[in-house]
Amino acid sequence: MTLRAAVVRFPGSNCDEDALRACARVGMDACYVWHRDTGLGGADVVILPGGFSYGDYLRAGAIARFSPIMRAVQRHAAAGGPTLGVCNGFQILCEAHLLPGALARNERLTFVSKPVDVLVERTDTIFTSAYQPGQRIRIPVAHGEGRFTADAETLRMLEAEGRVVLRYVPSGSETGLPNPNGSAGDIAGVSNAAGNVLGIMPHPERAADPILGTADGAAFFESLAAWSPGVKAGR
Amino acid sequence: MAEVAVRPTEAHRLAGERPVTPEVVREHNLSESEYARIREVLGRTPTLTELGIFSALWSEHCSYKHSKPVLRTFPTTGPQVVQGPGENAGVLRLPDGWAVAFKIESHNHPSAVEPYQGAATGVGGILRDVFTMGARPVAMLNSLRFGPLDSPRNRYLFAGVVRGVGDYGNCVGIPTLGGEVAFAPGYSGNPLVNAMCVGLLRETDLIRARAHGVGNVLLCVGSATGRDGIHGASFASEELSEQSEARRPQVQVGDPFAGKLLMEASLELVSSGLIVAIQDMGAAGLTSSSAEMAARGGVGVEIDTGLVPTRESGMTPYEILLSESQERMLVVAAPDRIDEIQRVCKKWELSAATIGHVTDDGIYRVRHHGLVVAAIPGRPLVDDCPVYHPESREAEIAKHRRDAGPSAPPAVGVAEALERLLDTPTLASKRWVYEQYDSTVRAATVLGPGGDAGVFHVPGTGFGLAVTVDCNARLVALDPYEGGKACVAEAARNVACTGAVPLGITDCLNFGNPEKPDVFFQFTEACRGIADACRAFDTPVTGGNVSFYNESPRGAIDPTPVIGMVGLLHDVTARVPSHFAATGDRIVLLGRTTGQLGGSMYWSEIREFFGGRPPAVDLAAERALQRLLAQAASERVLRSAHDCSDGGLATALAEAAIGGPYAGAGLGVSIDLARYADGIPPEALLYAEDGARAVISCAPELVERVLALAAEHGVPAAAVGEVGAAAGPLEIRLGARAFRWSVADLRRTYFEAIPRRMRTPEVERAETEHLTGN
């Protein structure tokens, strides 16, 4: 059965087209929903794309969480529906308290745009099932506020519960392109306790088409497309 | 609107308005003869509002009064040209019904006094020029010039400009795919910020900025109008001085979020067919957008400044007309479309106010709450600005400089010179810069920054475009004609190295004061060179921008005609990267080295001599090389191709060996140039900057095919060695002599040259000054 994916467009979203194309490429029936909408049009999967929702004025994601569509996203997530936030989408999920922690300004203060090497630490999620456990992939980051931060207890909990799904290669590694922003524990992506909500800073949708010379991110979308709504979304 | 009975060309002074005196005329940067012409056009004395309108439209920036006759000599036609100069952006035809709109523009003077906002609004402005053609912006490039980085002020300007460029483009979501940055003393008081935008459209969706349809309405869409940027166009048309800092409040303030919304709304208005025409309110704001749209359409317009949404109350018509507040558009549409237009704008959280209408009397008429404050015959307002043919004469000092040679002995030996050159900020990697720009958004980037040209895929098709900006101001300063040719040639080589076929150019002509004979000589000669090269390459000029008066109290900048070029890569999967790819690949040098060091980086950096005669540009040889590279790429026989220019052959080899910005390590190189050298001394062989050359690599079994292709195209080619092991040395043998470098050391030098100079307090200041947004 063809899965239906909804890509939420906020004013200022700019990775919406990229996310839509990445979903369509793996055969999902992908459509946009507008931030003023109140329903998700029966979508099985929700994607909050990257960008600068509301200009990221005040704080990244801080205004978007109040958009009318976010109530529907909350309901979808609470019902166990797969919800993926990429970059600004991750920031919005944190602001909306669907994920713990926050994304602070990069350690080196400037915007950082480059490929990074990340380890897929969990492959028993609906978002990463098409990867090999521990697989190292290279995908781009592009953000000014991507430094994951949380209190010590939350960080301990995330590690203990195995909710760090993506981790940057640690700073100071001999090889590879490491943690670009000073994230605590080199965290690049975390899930909620149920496992159906995932936020990641790197952009798999920008590395999903072999014509670009790299398709390391494609398996995110392949994983989602392979999920069956009958199966509980969490792990 | 109150009806006030007036003759068509009568206008009223507002209460309390300053009378127009000779002093007021001078303040408006208008000459006596220009003022006389204004009186002639009007048949009376202008009101202050009218004087403001004339001063904006007759500024150099808007009128091109010193450059028009020269610009007319550019080739602007060809089967690929959909839209040449005269619109907001040029448009070239692509396969499958697609077209590319592109344009480059300067924002030099604002950036000199307020680097962050100056650069950010430069990006915003060029984006609007492209999407007003109905094209979706898909790539940005920029060309920047600063004084040397040993000055704190220059480091502050550099950091602020980079941050400003990044913050705007990143927020709107347009990838920056390339650019260039150079540093030289002449730019210390007058940095250059040139931004280029490339957009895609269906050719049938093209919309032109021409008002027509008497009775159609004019709408002001986007941000409210404030008092910022008043007389920006005039500011851009004078030399920078000690007083320029006082202009800081005149610099416009950018709001990239509003820019993004405006882009989406405008594209929706165009694609829905709701509007007749659309134009950015850029330089000279509402004045130039409305007057130019009317003149292009051969109609009159009437606007009421009292209907323009403003940020503060009490703004005069003069201020409203000349404000350069950002993120505003002027739209022309049939009156019965107003509701639908407002619905689209509301969806994007923008306002759309009806402010006037198209008339049949050809008069540019402005009312303020009904009262006519300006009534000017529209055509003369836009077209009758006097055109100047200034004296053109090369400075004696420039001739002497060209005939002279270095007297100082080399500061370092032949081998060490390469390390010195790679540590020069102009030559070194710009990774510090482009990592602050999003280069992968839109998920179409095939080759990002750090190579010869950026390449992106046109989604849904098999083809891609290669884009680059280039200018070697050193060569233009020493020999403006050959230098002009060299700039186009370098852009074309960069495009061709990726495997693409050059299609056309846009240019940003940055020069000093054109009223000085030596500056005007540089301008006319550089343009003659650009025109000749464009004719030879079949790359028409589709538009661009002239920026004169780039002078500080220290004098004029080096002449800097920046060429923005677009090339077509028929099969995007055939693109060729710049860096060596595999151990054992063969290295082939394409083109001839004569060993003339005139104008070279080697002379300026190693022998402290800026001068000499640069090598003449052989346009036929350049064309042959371009064709060879495109064919070799399409046959997939190349593993890498890198242009050989600044810093000569040794630099090109080192850059190809050092590898891309994210390669773990470089690759070694082992070559023997004894036969290739043909008696040229080592420093000339390694560092001369002859054009029409490239360093390529290919699999060993393909080297015969590459050489045969080169022979077919009449391009000299020499297989000189091979790519070595990862982390191996760069080794160049020259008969009995051998030069050897550690690629790891060169790599470190190349990537660290700029960061190590930028770890200073004033850079931190620039980086924290505008900590808003993401």
Side-chain angles (χ1 to χ4, degrees):
Chain A
M1 167 207 141
T2 306
L3 282 188
R4 199 171 165 80
V7 177
V8 180
R9 300 181 105 173
F10 299 95
S13 293
N14 62 30
C15 306
D16 41 351
E17 275 183 59
D18 309 352
L20 192 88
R21 282 214 311 274
C23 290
R25 189 173 293 112
V26 294
M28 282 195 259
D29 171 18
C31 62
Y32 296 121
V33 294
W34 188 236
H35 70 117
R36 289 194 191 284
D37 291 347
T38 50
L40 291 165
D44 304 296
V45 172
V46 170
I47 296 181
L48 304 188
F52 287 69
S53 56
Y54 296 94
D56 278 354
Y57 295 143
L58 185 60
R59 197 171 61 240
I63 305 177
R65 65 175 279 219
F66 295 110
S67 270
I69 192 66
M70 285 307 291
R71 287 194 174 189
V73 173
Q74 296 266 12
R75 283 196 302 271
H76 171 83
T83 307
L84 174 65
V86 178
C87 198
N88 193 230
F90 186 6
Q91 293 160 343
I92 295 167
L93 289 173
C94 290
E95 288 287 338
H97 304 299
L98 285 167
L99 289 174
L103 293 147
R105 183 154 284 275
N106 296 344
E107 194 172 43
R108 224 207 97 206
L109 298 182
T110 53
F111 191 92
V112 59
S113 163
K114 61 192 287 194
V116 293
D117 291 331
V118 289
L119 301 169
V120 184
E121 300 224 329
R122 302 294 302 241
T123 53
D124 54 348
T125 80
I126 45 180
F127 308 97
T128 54
S129 59
Y131 287 105
Q132 299 300 313
Q135 190 175 339
R136 182 161 157 162
I137 59 174
R138 180 167 287 190
I139 49 181
V141 290
H143 57 246
E145 297 176 26
R147 179 166 55 91
F148 185 78
T149 160
D151 58 50
E153 195 184 333
T154 306
L155 288 172
R156 260 197 309 276
M157 173 192 74
L158 289 172
E159 296 290 355
E161 294 178 5
R163 287 162 58 184
V164 178
V165 176
L166 272 195
R167 200 187 298 274
Y168 300 112
V169 170
S171 310
S173 300
E174 283 296 299
T175 62
L177 303 171
N179 187 342
N181 53 32
S183 274
D186 301 308
I187 289 172
V190 295
S191 72
N192 64 349
N196 67 310
V197 178
L198 176 69
I200 54 177
M201 281 317 291
H203 287 276
E205 79 282 6
R206 300 185 187 182
D209 184 352
I211 209 166
L212 306 181
T214 165
D216 276 10
F220 271 92
F221 301 93
E222 289 157 14
S223 304
L224 278 171
W227 174 67
S228 161
V231 180
K232 190 171 174 298
R235 350 176 244 274
Chain B
M1 189 186 299
E3 205 42 62
V4 182
V6 283
R7 293 209 313 278
T9 54
E10 205 166 277
H12 297 261
R13 271 179 63 192
L14 289 169
E17 183 178 290
R18 290 168 74 193
V20 173
T21 62
E23 193 194 338
V24 171
V25 172
R26 266 196 307 280
E27 274 172 27
H28 280 77
N29 250 338
L30 289 161
S31 70
E32 274 176 40
S33 62
E34 285 167 348
Y35 181 64
R37 181 78 71 94
I38 290 170
R39 287 189 46 106
E40 207 178 298
V41 166
L42 290 174
R44 59 172 167 78
T45 302
T47 63
L48 184 69
T49 307
E50 289 171 330
L51 191 73
I53 293 170
F54 273 104
S55 83
L57 285 169
W58 288 15
S59 69
E60 182 65 45
H61 190 82
C62 291
S63 72
Y64 294 87
K65 58 191 169 191
H66 286 97
S67 60
K68 239 185 220 171
V70 176
L71 299 180
R72 288 208 184 101
T73 63
F74 283 150
T76 58
T77 55
Q80 72 272 46
V81 177
V82 179
Q83 177 63 56
E87 277 284 342
N88 286 316
V91 181
L92 297 175
R93 188 165 289 122
L94 300 175
D96 304 342
W98 287 95
V100 56
F102 65 113
K103 170 97 175 276
I104 190 167
E105 206 162 71
S106 63
H107 231 215
N108 303 336
H109 285 187
S111 305
V113 298
E114 219 303 323
Y116 178 86
Q117 291 296 353
T121 52
V123 171
I126 196 66
L127 272 167
R128 291 193 295 278
D129 279 341
V130 165
F131 68 70
T132 48
M133 303 300 292
R136 178 167 282 278
V138 296
M140 298 288 310
L141 299 99
N142 55 75
S143 171
L144 313 177
R145 296 289 184 286
F146 302 93
L149 289 179
D150 50 14
S151 131
R153 173 76 184 167
N154 290 335
R155 290 195 293 269
Y156 166 75
L157 289 173
F158 176 40
V161 163
V162 168
R163 194 177 185 94
V165 167
D167 275 5
Y168 206 105
N170 294 344
C171 179
V172 179
I174 317 298
T176 297
L177 295 191
E180 51 154 21
V181 191
F183 305 87
Y187 303 105
S188 264
N190 194 134
L192 300 184
V193 176
N194 294 180
M196 170 168 161
C197 180
V198 182
L200 287 172
L201 70 157
R202 302 296 299 169
E203 194 180 324
T204 48
D205 287 345
L206 177 66
I207 182 165
R208 293 182 170 89
R210 291 175 194 173
H212 52 85
V214 173
N216 279 346
V217 293
L218 273 61
L219 295 108
C220 181
V221 172
S223 298
T225 298
R227 286 191 163 108
D228 52 333
I230 291 172
H231 275 311
S234 309
F235 176 34
S237 309
E238 66 185 36
E239 292 176 22
L240 289 170
S241 65
E242 313 293 347
Q243 285 77 47
S244 296
E245 193 67 18
R247 293 276 201 179
R248 197 165 168 166
Q250 270 181 26
V251 175
Q252 314 88 313
V253 177
D255 177 353
F257 176 55
K260 161 80 171 162
L261 299 181
L262 195 59
M263 176 175 87
E264 297 299 341
S266 300
L267 290 172
E268 194 170 327
L269 289 174
V270 172
S271 67
S272 61
L274 288 172
I275 61 174
V276 170
I278 182 166
Q279 166 123 3
D280 171 36
M281 293 193 209
L286 178 55
T287 296
S288 71
S289 54
S290 53
E292 284 172 8
M293 277 219 285
R296 285 197 201 109
V299 294
V301 295
E302 175 169 318
I303 53 185
D304 191 322
T305 48
L307 300 173
V308 176
T310 56
R311 286 180 202 163
E312 44 197 316
S313 59
M315 283 182 70
T316 64
Y318 182 101
E319 291 170 325
I320 293 168
L321 285 165
L322 295 175
S323 160
E324 291 189 10
S325 287
Q326 296 290 290
E327 290 90 26
R328 299 178 301 155
M329 287 290 191
L330 187 67
V331 164
V332 180
D336 59 356
R337 301 292 192 146
I338 294 175
D339 289 349
E340 282 169 278
I341 289 168
Q342 283 179 331
R343 195 174 41 74
V344 171
C345 291
K346 186 156 182 274
K347 171 181 162 191
W348 294 105
E349 326 228 336
L350 298 172
S351 78
T354 306
I355 61 164
H357 58 273
V358 177
T359 63
D360 63 358
D361 62 2
I363 301 291
Y364 182 75
R365 187 178 293 103
V366 180
R367 292 175 187 267
H368 191 59
H369 298 293
L371 184 72
V372 175
V373 293
I376 307 169
R379 182 63 76 175
L381 171 61
V382 172
D383 289 344
D384 278 12
C385 174
V387 170
Y388 297 100
H389 302 268
E391 191 186 344
S392 164
R393 192 179 57 244
E394 184 165 37
E396 287 304 316
I397 190 171
K399 292 181 197 164
H400 292 146
R401 200 166 54 179
R402 192 162 53 238
D403 292 331
S407 51
V412 293
V414 174
E416 209 182 315
L418 178 59
E419 291 156 41
R420 193 68 82 84
L421 287 173
L422 293 178
D423 186 49
T424 308
T426 295
L427 266 189
S429 167
K430 305 304 181 302
R431 185 168 68 182
W432 185 90
V433 176
Y434 58 72
E435 282 194 347
Q436 297 188 51
Y437 306 149
D438 194 337
S439 55
T440 50
V441 62
R442 300 200 59 75
T445 302
V446 174
L447 294 175
D452 284 75
V455 173
F456 64 90
H457 174 221
V458 178
T461 76
F463 64 90
L465 293 179
V467 288
T468 184
V469 284
D470 289 288
C471 174
N472 188 331
R474 262 182 308 120
L475 303 182
V476 187
L478 292 172
D479 186 335
Y481 173 67
E482 291 296 333
K485 282 160 64 182
C487 293
V488 183
E490 186 180 348
R493 274 198 311 277
N494 282 334
V495 161
C497 277
T498 69
V501 178
L503 276 189
I505 73 157
T506 175
D507 55 43
C508 199
L509 308 171
N510 307 275
F511 287 81
N513 180 345
E515 297 156 51
K516 296 180 182 169
D518 56 320
V519 170
F520 202 67
F521 174 84
Q522 293 173 333
F523 177 70
T524 50
E525 284 293 284
C527 288
R528 189 165 68 87
I530 291 168
D532 282 354
C534 286
R535 267 189 287 271
F537 302 160
D538 284 331
T539 51
V541 180
T542 64
N545 171 228
V546 180
S547 172
F548 281 137
Y549 302 97
N550 288 293
E551 306 223 358
S552 68
R554 306 170 47 159
I557 58 161
D558 284 343
T560 314
V562 176
I563 304 301
M565 185 176 278
V566 172
L568 175 64
L569 196 58
H570 287 280
D571 177 354
V572 74
T573 63
R575 84 284 192 151
V576 180
S578 298
H579 308 102
F580 294 141
T583 303
D585 278 357
R586 295 292 189 266
I587 298 171
V588 177
L589 305 185
L590 299 178
R592 185 169 287 116
T593 300
T594 67
Q596 277 176 270
L597 281 166
S600 64
M601 291 281 286
Y602 178 80
W603 272 8
S604 61
E605 297 300 321
I606 310 298
R607 303 200 60 183
E608 291 174 37
F609 176 71
F610 175 64
R613 186 179 297 275
V617 179
D618 180 342
L619 294 174
E622 295 282 359
R623 186 77 202 256
L625 177 67
Q626 293 159 22
R627 288 185 163 148
L628 165 62
L629 288 166
Q631 186 175 348
S634 70
E635 288 189 18
R636 294 170 194 266
V637 294
L638 300 182
R639 204 97 81 172
S640 74
H642 183 36
D643 158 49
C644 184
S645 52
D646 275 8
L649 187 54
T651 304
L653 284 163
E655 286 171 342
I658 282 168
Y662 307 108
L667 291 170
V669 168
S670 172
I671 62 172
D672 190 333
L673 294 180
R675 282 178 56 200
Y676 181 81
D678 199 22
I680 299 170
E683 71 274 15
L685 179 70
L686 295 180
Y687 301 116
E689 298 181 9
D690 294 282
R693 294 183 301 165
V695 173
I696 62 172
S697 68
C698 64
E701 65 275 17
L702 291 172
V703 72
E704 290 310 318
R705 178 63 193 149
V706 169
L707 295 175
L709 274 175
E712 246 174 65
H713 286 270
V715 174
V720 293
E722 61 180 44
V723 178
L730 163 59
E731 200 171 39
I732 300 178
R733 288 182 302 285
L734 250 172
R737 296 187 70 176
F739 301 98
R740 202 184 156 93
W741 298 267
S742 151
V743 171
D745 289 349
L746 294 179
R747 188 174 163 86
R748 198 172 309 114
T749 301
Y750 181 68
F751 283 110
E752 268 297 302
I754 290 179
R756 75 178 177 80
R757 289 173 168 88
M758 296 301 282
R759 291 185 195 107
T760 58
E762 60 288 335
V763 174
E764 274 168 35
R765 190 181 130 212
E767 287 177 351
T768 50
E769 221 173 40
H770 295 277
L771 272 188
T772 54
N774 189 350

